[in-house]
């Protein structure tokens, strides 16, 4: 009989740990429609806080979130600003360099610990007495490209951060970012009269990357991945980079580089000002646009010492004020938007029936209008931007958790086994892998090692049989049933193959070539 933890869980918390910004949201199970996104961040920030950490010379954590980027610490020396550390989990991307002695796992764990402290504090004030480790289900969103190993690292970091008590804790589950975004927008998609089998594209415009994934709507509000996920580095922070290029033209590229190298906090402060007063309000329409005067003496006085020659003369003439006009802002957005449009175009199929825009950069009215202009007519204007696209993922994560049946542990109803070949008994021997009545926890694994039996064996078959008895002699005994089978190629007969079964919501069977590490996977239904 399966015991679900659902009876214990009172509150579901979604955590969106983003490359540039992070946040969390929560809802009580008795009130599933009231999903609250945390809006109480230290120092500044509406619904999100930067994914940033500030360490001192001895790698002691000083600040996290917005205060880590700008403000109070600016005068101290030898500080380490750590950003973009989430990218360390993706092998194909150029990893940010961390100071010697600080591993990316420590940075992620430190950040999650701070986020966790804030979650615990918020929940305690909302529902005093709520038991965090027994009554709260955490749903962490991850990029679609994360594999099981990467998710295992995130789990380890969550454990180090004190978000869970044991590594296998069923109180922490994962969902992908596009999945969560789709779940959040499901009801609105229905208003677009999407039918079963129709496909739609999720465009997640974040800070670092823009990620696309195309999903097919299945029966019962289920989703299927249609095209492999695709992404590129053209998120909102690239508009900030264009702003720095623009500034470089006014004060000299070198001056900007020096501030970036020596006064990182000051540079970040100036970028925040730019975002707040220029980037975020920009609509792409000249009506109502007010040019912005960036007063360097006020916003970034340290830059003055690096401004030389003709740049200095001109800046003195202008009293150190850089005026940003409409066309300047548009040319900061345009190269980034062109890249986004191209990325979408490359994945856009004729059968794509709708599009949803999520992520912080999708808040931009200018970006929204450019995407709608380009693709709207081709899809009957079914381009949906949810209210607050920035928090669509984290809200979807909460909805995912609220609808999840989570099984803590269960007692197996069947005995599971596979075929073994024995010279004395023939090639249909039942080899028991796990006996009925055994208690298994979620994601528990049982494994056996198999080797090819004959010299010229090119393939090895792996199958899974069940019986309601404690054991069986042969796989064709009347009480034994075949659950499924698959075979793998073996390049030579020296190979040893590790066959494991992992009991999650279904049984995941994996055959791993021990020497090459190559893996073959399939899933079988788990009848409990
Ligand atoms: N109203 C707005 N207009 C323009 N850009 C905005 C607006 N609001 C937020 N942004 C930008 O959105 C970006 C952050 O997006 P988001 O919070 O989705 O990032 P993230 O999840 O950390 O990124 P990633 O998905 O790459 O991990 C930042 O560059 C921010 O400046
Ligand atoms: Mg994101």
């Amino acid at each position: 009989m399966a015991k679900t933890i659902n009876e214990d869980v009172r509150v579901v918390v979604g955590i969106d740990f983003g490359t540039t910004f992070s946040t969390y949201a929560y809802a009580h199970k008795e009130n599933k429609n009231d999903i609250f996104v945390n809006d109480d961040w230290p120092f500044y920030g509406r619904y999100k806080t930067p994914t940033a950490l500030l360490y001192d010379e001895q790698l002691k954590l000083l600040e996290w979130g917005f205060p880590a980027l700008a403000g109070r610490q600016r005068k101290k020396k030898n500080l380490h600003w750590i950003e973009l550390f989430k990218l360390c989990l993706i092998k194909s991307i150029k990893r940010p360099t961390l100071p010697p002695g600080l591993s990316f796992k420590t940075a992620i764990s430190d950040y999650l610990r701070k986020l966790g402290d804030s979650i615990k504090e918020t929940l305690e004030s909302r529902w005093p007495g709520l038991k965090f480790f027994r009554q709260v289900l955490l749903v962490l969103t991850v990029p679609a490209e994360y594999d099981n190993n990467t998710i295992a690292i995130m789990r380890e970091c969550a454990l180090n951060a004190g978000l869970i008590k044991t590594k296998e804790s069923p109180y922490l589950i994962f969902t992908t970012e596009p999945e969560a975004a789709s779940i959040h927008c499901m009801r609105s998609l229905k208003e677009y009269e999407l039918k079963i089998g129709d496909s739609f594209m999720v465009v997640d415009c974040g800070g670092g990357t823009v990620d696309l994934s195309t999903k097919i709507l299945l029966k019962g509000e289920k989703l299927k991945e249609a095209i492999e996920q695709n992404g590129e580095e053209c998120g909102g922070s690239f508009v900030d980079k264009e702003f720095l290029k623009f500034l470089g033209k006014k004060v000299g590229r070198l001056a900007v580089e020096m501030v970036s190298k020596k006064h990182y906090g000051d540079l970040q402060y100036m970028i925040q000002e730019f975002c707040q007063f220029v980037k975020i309000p920009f609509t792409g329409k000249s009506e109502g646009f007010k040019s912005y005067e960036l007063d360097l003496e006020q916003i970034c006085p340290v830059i003055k010492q690096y401004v030389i020659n003709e740049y200095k003369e001109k800046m003195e003439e202008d009293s150190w004020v850089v005026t940003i006009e409409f066309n300047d802002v548009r040319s900061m957005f345009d190269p980034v938007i062109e890249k986004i449009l191209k990325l979408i175009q490359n994945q856009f199929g004729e059968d794509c029936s709708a599009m949803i825009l999520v992520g912080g950069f999708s808040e931009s009215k200018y970006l929204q209008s450019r995407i709608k202009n380009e693709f709207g007519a081709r899809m009957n204007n079914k381009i949906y931007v949810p209210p607050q696209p920035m928090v669509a993922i984290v809200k979807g994560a909460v909805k995912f958790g609220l609808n999840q049946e989570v099984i803590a542990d269960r007692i197996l109803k069947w005995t599971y086994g596979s075929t073994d070949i024995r010279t004395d008994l023939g090639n249909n021997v039942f080899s028991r892998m796990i006996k009925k009545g055994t208690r298994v926890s979620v994601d528990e694994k049982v494994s056996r090692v198999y080797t090819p039996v004959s010299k010229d064996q090119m393939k090895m078959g792996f199958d899974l049989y069940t019986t309601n008895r404690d054991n069986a002699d042969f796989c064709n005994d009347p009480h034994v049933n075949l659950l499924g089978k698959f075979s793998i190629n073996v390049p030579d007969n020296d190979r040893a193959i590790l066959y494991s079964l992992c009991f999650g919501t279904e049984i995941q069977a994996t055959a791993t070539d021990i020497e090459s590490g190559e893996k073959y996977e399939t899933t079988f239904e788990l009848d409990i």
Side-chain angles (χ1 to χ4, degrees):
M1 199 200 66
K3 176 181 177 285
T4 72
I5 64 166
N6 277 31
E7 292 141 34
D8 285 343
V9 165
R10 310 311 315 145
V11 172
V12 173
V13 178
I15 303 175
D16 175 4
F17 168 59
T19 314
T20 51
F21 285 88
S22 297
T23 188
Y24 64 88
Y26 52 92
H28 197 281
K29 266 175 66 182
E30 297 304 323
N31 212 344
K32 293 184 177 179
N33 291 327
D34 280 347
I35 301 179
F36 298 96
V37 183
N38 185 53
D39 58 1
D40 180 18
W41 294 108
F43 199 33
Y44 171 86
R46 205 168 35 145
Y47 291 117
K48 285 192 169 186
T49 198
T51 309
L53 295 164
L54 179 65
Y55 292 90
D56 71 7
E57 210 175 354
Q58 283 76 41
L59 297 179
K60 184 172 156 266
L61 183 64
L62 297 176
E63 299 279 6
W64 72 289
F66 191 79
L69 281 186
R72 290 169 281 173
Q73 304 287 342
R74 279 187 279 165
K75 289 205 168 57
K76 280 197 181 168
K77 286 249 156 62
N78 297 326
L79 299 174
H80 300 286
W81 279 273
I82 314 293
E83 288 179 273
L84 307 177
F85 43 94
K86 181 183 173 186
L87 296 179
C88 295
L89 288 163
I90 301 177
K91 290 178 199 82
S92 57
I93 280 184
K94 199 175 78 194
R95 292 166 173 223
T97 40
L98 298 178
L102 183 74
S103 74
F104 74 85
K105 284 189 194 172
T106 307
I108 295 175
S109 305
D110 281 351
Y111 192 82
L112 290 180
R113 183 175 313 106
K114 290 295 179 189
L115 211 53
D117 290 347
S118 170
I119 294 171
K120 288 171 189 169
E121 208 176 287
T122 304
L123 298 188
E124 178 58 31
S125 75
R126 288 293 305 258
W127 298 286
L130 184 79
K131 295 183 184 73
F132 185 79
F133 294 106
R134 266 191 47 206
Q135 297 179 316
V136 178
L137 175 67
L138 303 174
V139 183
L140 191 52
T141 57
V142 291
E145 68 253 48
Y146 277 18
D147 58 15
N148 287 344
N149 291 340
T150 320
I151 290 174
I153 295 175
M154 283 305 291
R155 201 170 254 288
E156 186 187 327
C157 293
L159 177 69
N160 294 339
L163 285 173
I164 43 175
K165 279 247 164 105
T166 60
K167 196 163 177 209
E168 298 75 27
S169 171
Y171 293 90
L172 171 66
I173 57 175
F174 293 86
T175 181
T176 70
E177 290 160 5
E179 188 92 8
S182 311
I183 291 170
H184 178 62
C185 301
M186 191 69 84
R187 193 166 300 160
S188 311
L189 279 177
K190 280 194 173 156
E191 286 165 19
Y192 283 167
E193 293 169 346
L194 246 62
K195 299 181 298 298
I196 308 297
D198 282 352
S199 64
F200 62 94
M201 192 190 274
V202 182
V203 183
D204 175 8
C205 304
T209 56
V210 171
D211 298 302
L212 307 184
S213 63
T214 303
K215 305 248 167 221
I216 297 177
L217 196 64
L218 302 180
K219 248 174 143 174
E221 298 201 350
K222 294 234 159 61
L223 298 165
K224 188 175 126 188
E225 188 88 28
I227 306 175
E228 217 178 289
Q229 144 119 2
N230 203 353
E232 222 173 283
E233 294 190 10
C234 45
S237 65
F238 288 86
V239 177
D240 310 346
K241 291 214 165 88
E242 292 295 326
F243 158 67
L244 293 181
K245 274 194 212 163
F246 165 84
L247 188 67
K249 285 184 196 145
K250 306 282 173 188
V251 297
R253 197 167 48 85
L254 232 63
V256 178
E257 271 171 26
M258 287 308 286
V259 178
S260 169
K261 228 184 245 163
K262 302 212 158 190
H263 313 270
Y264 192 72
D266 298 62
L267 185 86
Q268 285 304 324
Y269 183 74
M270 181 164 56
I271 291 177
Q272 293 299 334
E273 286 284 309
F274 162 75
C275 287
Q276 195 178 346
F277 295 105
V278 183
K279 178 168 110 173
I280 291 176
F282 189 69
T283 61
K285 292 191 181 116
S286 52
E287 311 89 69
F289 178 87
K290 285 196 192 74
S291 54
Y292 178 72
E293 296 197 336
L294 177 72
D295 185 342
L296 290 176
E297 275 183 325
Q298 252 188 24
I299 306 293
C300 191
V302 290
I303 203 168
K304 284 175 71 178
Q305 59 191 297
Y306 305 107
V307 183
I308 49 170
N309 303 338
E310 73 274 19
Y311 294 113
K312 191 174 177 192
E313 271 167 38
K314 177 79 176 69
M315 285 316 301
E316 278 174 348
E317 219 173 89
D318 294 343
S319 315
W320 294 94
V321 170
V322 174
T323 308
I324 309 178
E325 305 286 1
F326 177 79
N327 282 338
D328 300 325
V329 190
R330 200 168 59 184
S331 57
M332 293 174 203
F333 273 86
D334 280 348
V336 186
I337 292 183
E338 294 302 334
K339 248 182 138 175
I340 297 175
L341 297 179
K342 224 186 243 162
L343 181 71
I344 299 176
Q345 176 60 43
N346 287 342
Q347 188 166 321
F348 192 80
E350 283 310 311
D351 53 350
C352 184
S353 315
M355 192 185 282
I356 56 180
L357 302 184
V358 296
F361 193 28
S362 287
E363 304 259 344
S364 160
K365 292 277 177 290
Y366 182 44
L367 176 63
Q368 289 176 16
S369 73
R370 291 287 307 269
I371 293 180
K372 284 179 178 168
N373 276 347
E374 189 78 22
F375 298 99
R378 289 193 245 171
M379 48 194 356
N380 287 329
N381 293 321
K382 290 180 181 171
I383 298 181
Y384 178 63
V385 189
Q388 302 171 334
M390 181 192 280
V391 294
I393 289 172
V394 78
K395 283 188 165 182
V398 176
K399 288 185 189 170
F400 176 84
L402 287 169
N403 295 324
Q404 193 74 0
E405 271 295 303
V406 186
I407 296 151
D409 60 16
R410 77 297 296 273
I411 295 171
L412 294 180
K413 198 161 116 187
W414 308 92
T415 294
Y416 292 86
S418 64
T419 343
D420 201 2
I421 303 172
R422 293 257 301 271
T423 37
D424 50 343
L425 293 170
N427 56 7
N428 206 15
V429 174
F430 182 86
S431 152
R432 188 173 72 187
M433 293 188 75
I434 190 160
K435 190 174 141 190
K436 91 179 215 205
T438 309
R439 182 182 287 273
V440 287
S441 55
V442 169
D443 295 339
E444 188 168 323
K445 263 189 189 160
V446 285
S447 305
R448 294 271 181 287
V449 175
Y450 291 85
T451 46
V453 275
S454 72
K455 258 194 166 150
D456 39 34
Q457 188 173 351
M458 302 295 288
K459 271 184 183 298
M460 273 175 84
F462 289 93
D463 44 26
L464 193 61
Y465 288 89
T466 57
T467 169
N468 56 4
R469 301 198 184 161
D470 283 354
N471 207 346
D473 295 324
F474 295 99
C475 293
N476 56 358
D477 285 351
H479 56 92
V480 176
N481 290 310
L482 178 69
L483 202 60
K485 57 163 85 186
F486 68 115
S487 66
I488 67 168
N489 296 324
V490 275
D492 55 63
N493 65 352
D494 245 4
R495 296 296 160 115
I497 308 290
L498 183 75
Y499 182 43
S500 357
L501 303 177
C502 179
F503 293 85
T505 44
E506 52 197 356
I507 304 171
Q508 180 160 37
T510 316
T512 313
D513 184 324
I514 293 175
E515 200 167 305
S516 69
E518 237 173 299
K519 271 193 178 148
Y520 308 83
E521 286 180 340
T522 190
T523 51
F524 299 120
E525 210 174 291
L526 176 63
D527 174 18
I528 43 175

